[in-house]
Amino acid sequence: MKLTAVPGITPVSLASVERTTAELHTLLVRLRGPDAERDLGLETAAIQAAERAHEHRAGLLAVAEHRDADPALLLAGSAPVARPLSVEAAAELSWFAADTTPGIREVSTATTARGYPVVIVERIAVDGPGAQLQAVVLDPARPRVAVFTLHSPGGRGWLDVAALAGALVAGVDLSEPARVP
């Protein structure tokens, strides 16, 4: 999976859990301002995101930032599936996600710039702030998918950071070996 650089999306190193945690925490503190250095919630979020990225062997852990939005975490990776999936399979996946997952605000399908079908699931927290978007890019030529998860704990400016993630997903190239910008 090859990703193009998108302004506003800053990747962190995946060399080790400790390095990922440190880089992510430093980036989040920079975005939140000097008072954030003492915010234990940011440190906990960085630890949890780093551990999750390494546990799932992610190809990308990044922060999506926009001047009018809370920073959001973006996790991406590819995974094998039983068989190559088609556009019809994307529609089936979309129906399944909408039918079985509570709290979904919207499920839709799209196509990337390179013609890959995408299933997009957006969840908005009902009982407080926060939003999550998951985009599953299907590779009809090979038995694999690329999964992108964007999470904003605060939710402020959600559409702005979701648009950044959308630009990254739109440019994904599954024919290339794994490379992150």
Side-chain angles (χ1 to χ4, degrees):
M1 169 173 72
K2 179 181 174 189
L3 301 173
T4 57
V6 173
I9 295 182
T10 306
V12 296
S13 170
L14 292 170
S16 69
V17 173
E18 296 77 19
R19 184 168 172 190
T20 303
T21 300
E23 284 188 26
L24 186 56
H25 183 251
T26 299
L27 184 56
L28 291 172
V29 166
R30 181 182 61 79
L31 292 172
R32 293 274 176 100
D35 293 337
E37 185 68 43
R38 295 181 299 278
D39 185 347
L40 294 179
L42 283 183
E43 185 174 0
T44 300
I47 291 168
Q48 290 174 347
E51 288 175 347
R52 183 169 293 123
H54 285 272
E55 177 185 338
H56 294 287
R57 290 179 233 166
L60 172 71
L61 176 59
V63 174
E65 58 182 294
H66 187 278
R67 69 179 180 280
D68 298 325
D70 292 334
L73 296 176
L74 178 63
L75 186 65
S78 60
V81 292
R83 60 182 165 75
L85 299 172
S86 63
V87 176
E88 294 78 23
E92 289 174 22
L93 182 58
S94 174
W95 175 85
F96 176 78
D99 189 49
T100 62
T101 309
I104 288 181
R105 176 178 169 216
E106 185 176 336
V107 177
S108 58
T109 58
T111 305
T112 70
R114 296 188 179 274
Y116 300 113
V118 183
V119 176
I120 303 158
V121 180
E122 183 180 23
R123 298 172 183 89
I124 305 295
V126 183
D127 55 353
Q132 183 184 59
L133 180 134
Q134 198 160 46
V136 180
V137 181
L138 309 172
D139 186 348
R142 292 173 194 79
R144 68 178 169 168
V145 296
V147 180
F148 297 80
T149 303
L150 179 71
H151 176 72
S152 171
R156 183 181 66 83
W158 173 244
L159 294 178
D160 294 318
V161 292
L164 292 172
L168 186 70
V169 170
V172 70
D173 184 352
L174 297 175
S175 68
E176 294 286 326
R179 285 189 291 175
V180 179

